[in-house]
Amino acid sequence: GGDSDIVNIVEDTTHASAQVLMTADGLVDLLIPRGGKGLIRACVENASVPCIETGTGICHVYVDRDADLNMAVKIIENAKTSRPSVCNAEEVCLVHRDIAKEFLPKLKAALVDKRREAGLVPVELRLDEAAAEIIPGTAATELDFDTEFLDYILAVRVVDSVEEAIAHINCHSTGHSEAILTQTRAHADLFTRLVDSAAVYVNAST
């Protein structure tokens, strides 16, 4: 049995208890909100104790040329739909051009068609020009690749290489969580070395 005062878990997870923590002057040295925009804004506006403003999460999943496509669909389904309003939910899917024609219909079937049939909210796919030639969806604007949707919306872009995927992420990411789905070790190593985000995954959901 260590010291029971080192870690305390607050059982009450209501907004009221969060408000108490934000204003517990003299008891709380530092508050680090981890969650969506609403929580972070509430802390910045209401906290009387010191508070670190954490960033938002524009999280990417890149599907490489030799990814296991069925596994990729399941991972993206988890990353996008299990809890779309959290900061580590996937907002952008990058797909290698060589597998786009095979992969994108599978992705649409899982995220749009099967969800609609099951009475669930379908994911709105915001597609770049190359993706829109393969599957139906909404035409993406450049803004869609810089937006934390926190909703059943996924921006999709087709890229020509792992290097292009890395370049896109390093340009548009908020440095939160990114994933590469690949069976090529060299590509996984390159991605994890060059993508500078807090969490970088290989063959796993964000």
Side-chain angles (χ1 to χ4, degrees), residues 77-156:
E77 204 169 2
N78 177 279
K80 179 72 254 182
T81 68
S82 60
R83 289 177 70 204
S85 63
V86 294
C87 50
N88 57 339
E90 177 190 4
E91 304 292 16
V92 178
C93 180
L94 303 172
V95 179
H96 195 291
R97 193 172 302 277
D98 289 1
I99 49 119
K101 280 192 175 65
E102 186 186 351
F103 179 70
L104 289 174
K106 287 176 186 274
L107 188 69
K108 179 189 173 283
L111 295 187
V112 183
D113 309 334
K114 283 179 191 158
R115 287 182 62 81
R116 189 174 279 131
E117 285 161 24
L120 300 168
V121 178
V123 175
E124 181 190 337
L125 300 175
R126 303 252 176 110
L127 309 170
D128 79 340
E129 282 179 29
E133 285 174 17
I134 301 167
I135 54 169
T138 308
T141 65
E142 266 311 303
L143 192 65
D144 287 320
F145 293 97
D146 289 306
T147 300
E148 185 182 29
F149 299 114
L150 300 171
D151 200 355
Y152 291 99
I153 301 169
L154 182 65
V156 180

Side-chain angles (χ1 to χ4, degrees), residues 9-25 27-28 31 39 42-43 46-47 49:
I9 295 175
V10 178
E11 302 286 342
D12 176 5
T13 57
T14 60
H15 285 291
S17 76
Q19 187 65 40
V20 170
L21 271 177
M22 289 179 213
T23 53
D25 298 340
L27 295 173
V28 173
L31 200 56
L39 173 72
C43 286
N46 303 315
V49 301

